[in-house]
Amino acid sequence: MHKIIKLLLIVVVIIFLVMVFTSSSGYYEYELNKQTALTSDAIKQFEEDIKEGKEIDIKDYYVVDNKDYSNKVSKAGLKISNKIGSLINSWFQFIFNSIGKMVED
């Protein structure tokens, strides 16, 4: 029983560290900003079109940046992250299945 608790604690610490790293790198904020970014020029054009009473369609003002900024390091990081995610997923399945079997007994 102590081994299971120790393993759970280690898994929680690892998940916490991954979340801290993701947060400190600014990845989440970058993705949110990328999804909602309007350039200052687009905002000015939008305001002028409203003043002039033109028909407004947000697609005309939304800036989509389709540049691929990935490199070997980011691709390797993504692969490692996916492997860690699948490993943690399998750990959780094992842990919860074990707990379920213990509860059933």
Side-chain angles (χ1 to χ4, degrees):
M1 186 67 170
H2 292 301
K3 289 183 179 183
I4 292 174
I5 293 172
K6 195 176 198 181
L7 179 65
L8 282 173
L9 185 61
I10 291 171
V11 169
V12 168
V13 168
I14 289 172
I15 291 171
F16 174 76
L17 291 175
V18 168
M19 291 176 70
V20 166
F21 175 74
T22 304
S23 174
S24 66
S25 69
Y27 176 76
Y28 182 71
E29 288 82 8
Y30 169 74
E31 287 297 318
L32 285 178
N33 188 31
K34 188 170 75 171
Q35 291 175 2
T36 60
L38 290 175
T39 64
S40 59
D41 292 336
I43 292 171
K44 288 177 186 176
Q45 184 63 44
F46 177 76
E47 291 172 350
E48 287 176 15
D49 289 349
I50 288 178
K51 287 178 185 175
E52 295 174 4
K54 292 182 179 178
E55 188 174 330
I56 304 296
D57 184 10
I58 191 65
K59 293 176 185 175
D60 296 335
Y61 307 100
Y62 183 69
V63 177
V64 178
D65 185 12
N66 291 330
K67 293 182 183 176
D68 183 16
Y69 292 103
S70 62
N71 55 35
K72 291 180 182 179
V73 174
S74 65
K75 288 178 183 176
L78 181 61
K79 285 181 182 178
I80 291 170
S81 174
N82 288 338
K83 295 280 186 188
I84 291 172
S86 65
L87 181 64
I88 289 174
N89 187 26
S90 64
W91 283 353
F92 275 118
Q93 287 178 352
F94 172 76
I95 290 168
F96 287 117
N97 287 339
S98 299
I99 292 172
K101 288 178 184 176
M102 291 168 63
V103 170
E104 289 176 0
D105 292 337

